[in-house]
Amino acid sequence: MTDVKLALDEVHALVVDTLMRCGCDEENAAAVARVITAAERDGCHSHGLMRLAGYAATLKSGKVNGKARPRVEQIAPAVVRVDGDGGFAPLALETGRQPLVDCARKNGIAALALVDIYHFAALWTEIEPLAEAGLCALACTSYKPAVIPAGGKKALYGTNPIAFGWPRKSGNPVVFDQATSVVARGEVMLAAREGHQMAEGVGVDADGNPTTDPNAILEGSLLAFGGHKGSSLAMMVELLAGGLIGESFSFEAARRDNNDGGPPQGGEFILAMDPGMFGDAEGWLDHSELLFEQIAAQEGTRLPGDRRHANRERNTRDGISLSQAVYDKILEL
Ligand code: NDP
């Protein structure tokens, strides 16, 4: 089957149109469209148009408020809270971004607590604008149970991604964004569809026994990356994006979820720091460039984000290719 070619503004328009037909107002639809278009632009297809069916399902089931009006509140000198009004995360994030930036510049450090949102996106889209604004930033969010705690047998943690960004003297900031599971669940789904085995150490079956069969892993659980170390990071994400800000843990979110194919209701935690206010106001930018130079000096290395930025340059110019099957599914929505 041939692919469909789309320019990025066509991707944006397709998402807005689809979501508005499913019950979003324009403001919410456009905010989600910016995130999906950015994912397609940077070659992160697992969080691009492929997700549109899930967004639409949550609107059709009535779980997500497509006309959400996020409310921002300064609840402590360095804490900004946004109540997402039961909507998709992107508009809540856009609402909280400038207050977070202002608060971090004033105090040196500030946190954004996002509650009552539905998060279905990659985190780098949220971290990059903060790093472009000259801030060091960290974000994390939880999901539904998909990962066992180290030594256990039953999924408890979400795939719980963590993203981190650092400003550069010139050019794109350095941003990494990674799940705390060995691989994303989407990769296991892909392996099941294509009929190939997963590597050892990726997941367990429903009884908690190690397996390389992707179907058995989908019925069972993933493992955290790096054994007990990744497991602790997944726990940390639960505590920051749930316990700290008064939102759900993954297991609580799953209990309430209607399993319509979209994300569960939950929260997100973002920390922003102004490196110019930590004691090396004049030198921090040049100093950190020394580290990046040392990394680049070793053959075989690259900085996280380099792949995305190479894709960005090409796809902004040439547009993106989408499989006819995914395109047809979107038109059906
Ligand atoms: P990957 O393992 O593909 O990549 C993780 C990070 O490592 C990226 O920043 C990537 O940069 C970087 N990287 C990859 N290879 C190298 C290398 N050789 N040298 C240096 N850096 C490298 O990501 P995951 O599969 O773990 O996560 C995928 C996405 O899923 C994330 O965007 C995450 O936010 C999202 N997610 C969202 C969830 C949600 O609930 N909303 C849940 C779980 C995941 P680059 O991009 O340039 O390759």
Side-chain angles (χ1 to χ4, degrees), residues 169-232:
K169 195 161 184 188
S170 60
N172 300 307
V174 172
V175 176
F176 75 73
D177 176 15
Q178 58 199 44
T180 44
S181 49
V182 176
V183 299
R185 219 175 121 79
E187 282 190 42
V188 187
M189 290 161 85
L190 208 63
R193 210 180 311 153
E194 291 172 357
H196 63 78
Q197 298 288 296
M198 298 303 298
E200 279 180 27
V202 167
V204 295
D205 64 19
D207 298 320
N209 300 312
T211 178
T212 56
D213 175 356
N215 290 302
I217 295 173
L218 288 174
E219 280 168 28
S221 311
L222 289 164
L223 297 174
F225 80 92
H228 61 280
K229 300 182 184 183
S231 179
S232 297

Side-chain angles (χ1 to χ4, degrees), residues 21 55 83 113 163 189 194 222 239 261:
R21 282 169 196 268
Y55 281 104
D83 181 326
M189 290 161 85
E194 291 172 357
L222 289 164
L239 292 168

Side-chain angles (χ1 to χ4, degrees), residues 46-47 119-124 141-143 159-161 175-179 184 187 302-308:
S46 59
H47 289 81
H119 202 296
F120 213 29
L123 294 183
W124 61 261
T141 187
S142 57
Y143 195 67
T159 44
N160 294 5
V175 176
F176 75 73
D177 176 15
Q178 58 199 44
E187 282 190 42
R302 72 167 174 90
L303 288 174
D306 284 354
R307 175 196 64 88
R308 284 193 300 101

Side-chain angles (χ1 to χ4, degrees), residues 56-305:
T58 56
L59 291 166
K60 287 180 179 168
S61 77
K63 186 170 79 181
V64 170
N65 177 7
K67 298 179 171 60
R69 287 288 163 271
R71 292 177 295 274
V72 60
E73 201 186 343
Q74 182 91 36
I75 57 170
V79 184
V80 178
R81 182 176 169 96
V82 175
D83 181 326
D85 193 23
F88 294 126
L91 190 61
L93 280 151
E94 289 181 9
T95 306
R97 183 174 297 141
Q98 196 55 49
L100 174 68
V101 169
D102 294 343
C103 195
R105 287 200 180 126
K106 185 169 164 210
N107 299 304
I109 185 165
L112 178 62
L114 290 147
V115 298
D116 198 11
I117 53 166
Y118 290 79
H119 202 296
F120 213 29
L123 294 183
W124 61 261
T125 58
E126 303 158 11
I127 286 298
E128 202 170 73
L130 297 173
E132 280 166 351
L135 301 171
C136 158
L138 180 91
C140 58
T141 187
S142 57
Y143 195 67
K144 285 198 276 192
V147 174
I148 54 174
K153 286 193 177 295
K154 201 166 143 255
L156 179 67
Y157 304 139
T159 44
N160 294 5
I162 301 174
F164 173 84
W166 188 265
R168 299 291 304 270
K169 195 161 184 188
S170 60
N172 300 307
V174 172
V175 176
F176 75 73
D177 176 15
Q178 58 199 44
T180 44
S181 49
V182 176
V183 299
R185 219 175 121 79
E187 282 190 42
V188 187
M189 290 161 85
L190 208 63
R193 210 180 311 153
E194 291 172 357
H196 63 78
Q197 298 288 296
M198 298 303 298
E200 279 180 27
V202 167
V204 295
D205 64 19
D207 298 320
N209 300 312
T211 178
T212 56
D213 175 356
N215 290 302
I217 295 173
L218 288 174
E219 280 168 28
S221 311
L222 289 164
L223 297 174
F225 80 92
H228 61 280
K229 300 182 184 183
S231 179
S232 297
L233 289 177
M235 178 187 71
M236 179 189 81
V237 171
E238 296 283 338
L239 292 168
L240 291 177
L244 180 76
I245 64 173
E247 253 298 350
S248 320
F249 297 121
S250 292
F251 77 92
E252 293 171 323
R255 273 185 202 152
R256 281 199 309 273
D257 196 44
N258 65 1
N259 297 315
D260 55 12
Q265 186 260 327
E268 179 173 0
F269 171 78
I270 303 184
L271 190 64
M273 291 161 275
D274 182 348
M277 290 176 75
F278 279 73
D280 186 14
E282 302 302 322
W284 69 272
L285 209 44
D286 284 324
H287 187 201
S288 48
E289 286 302 316
L290 295 181
L291 177 68
F292 300 134
E293 280 166 22
Q294 290 288 319
I295 296 169
Q298 293 198 31
E299 206 182 314
T301 64
R302 72 167 174 90
L303 288 174

